[in-house]
Amino acid sequence: NAGVTQTPKFQVLKTGQSMTLQCAQDMNHEYMSWYRQDPGMGLRLIHYSVGAGITDQGEVPNGYNVSRSTTEDFPLRLLSAAPSQTSVYFCASSLGLAHTDTQYFGPGTRLTVL
Amino acid sequence: QQQVKQSPQSLIVQKGGISIINCAYENTAFDYFPWYQQFPGKGPALLIAIRPDVSEKKEGRFTISFNKSAKQFSLHIMDSQPGDSATYFCAARADKIIFGKGTRLHILP
């Protein structure tokens, strides 16, 4: 199993540009989520999904869209990038939200918005 | 109410010493409390976790202590080693997982 994969690893955007951060998992996990990590702020939940076709907002959803058309993929879209979205983005997945379900993180995407 | 407060922000411990990181929460709906370890350039990885019906869980040198009445839990790293130097996050889960802000731990050789 490849686990949780994210592409790209690094990205530089100009203000106003749009892009999609890709996330895929091959573990047949139902629960997937996106976090952003900023210095001193920890990991903040952007959006999450409990299964294909179901998404919901986390703590910091503004400026981001998600969709979950398949169990495997959970892309994060930045509609109009802003410098405040400069961050490291992590995708994570788990079988579900049961006590024994470990959440696995991808390697991250480092995004810079100029 | 959804917050998880973590302290300290950073911690320096001598090799062989005990590292202690503390977390507190408000939401009584949280039912699962994991700790994650993150090395530079990597994603977080689950280290150890506890349920609120247990007061302590130990795995090797890592122990979680849980105080349900005080809504506090802590991670203890015994015999801390330089390889333990990393950022540690506590978290709490209800319908989603909320993370603390992290503690950067440095173990002096």
Side-chain angles (χ1 to χ4, degrees):
Chain A
N1 284 352
V4 180
T5 58
Q6 291 183 239
T7 56
K9 287 195 172 187
F10 301 94
Q11 183 70 49
V12 179
L13 292 178
K14 294 181 180 177
T15 297
Q17 287 185 316
S18 62
M19 79 159 295
T20 299
L21 278 62
Q22 300 292 344
C23 173
Q25 51 87 13
D26 61 358
M27 299 175 281
N28 202 30
H29 285 175
E30 291 294 329
Y31 183 87
M32 296 186 74
S33 53
W34 277 101
Y35 295 87
R36 60 177 290 174
Q37 184 174 25
D38 303 291
M41 299 298 291
L43 290 154
R44 291 183 292 171
L45 183 65
I46 304 172
H47 286 285
Y48 65 101
S49 169
V50 297
I54 306 169
T55 63
D56 205 347
Q57 297 182 349
E59 302 170 73
V60 289
N62 292 340
Y64 307 95
N65 273 1
V66 292
S67 60
R68 184 95 179 271
S69 56
T70 67
T71 299
E72 294 78 19
D73 300 299
F74 191 43
L76 179 72
R77 279 182 284 277
L78 281 71
L79 305 174
S80 177
S84 61
Q85 293 179 304
T86 294
S87 187
V88 181
Y89 291 84
F90 289 100
C91 178
S93 76
S94 64
L95 194 60
L97 284 178
H99 292 130
T100 54
D101 293 339
T102 299
Q103 184 162 221
Y104 296 90
F105 281 81
T109 294
R110 186 174 294 271
L111 175 68
T112 301
V113 182
L114 302 175
Chain B
Q1 251 210 338
Q2 288 280 29
Q3 280 188 324
V4 177
K5 295 183 180 179
Q6 183 172 348
S7 62
Q9 276 191 318
S10 61
L11 182 61
I12 299 174
V13 175
Q14 290 280 353
K15 178 183 175 181
I18 302 174
S19 304
I20 302 174
I21 304 170
N22 300 299
C23 286
Y25 65 97
E26 289 295 325
N27 188 351
T28 55
F30 290 140
D31 63 357
Y32 180 64
F33 300 88
W35 284 88
Y36 287 80
Q37 181 187 55
Q38 183 183 29
F39 293 105
K42 304 291 185 182
L46 180 67
L47 182 64
I48 186 173
I50 196 167
R51 292 170 54 173
D53 53 351
V54 176
S55 62
E56 184 176 283
K57 183 172 182 181
K58 184 175 181 179
E59 290 184 2
R61 296 183 294 108
F62 300 90
T63 300
I64 301 177
S65 297
F66 190 86
N67 185 331
K68 188 174 182 178
S69 60
K71 297 180 194 170
Q72 295 175 346
F73 58 112
S74 60
L75 175 70
H76 296 237
I77 306 174
M78 312 300 288
D79 186 26
S80 299
Q81 298 297 312
D84 297 331
S85 297
T87 299
Y88 292 81
F89 294 96
C90 63
R93 190 194 68 195
D95 57 338
K96 47 186 178 278
I97 300 175
I98 304 297
F99 285 81
K101 293 188 176 182
T103 296
R104 183 172 284 184
L105 174 64
H106 183 66
I107 308 300
L108 297 172

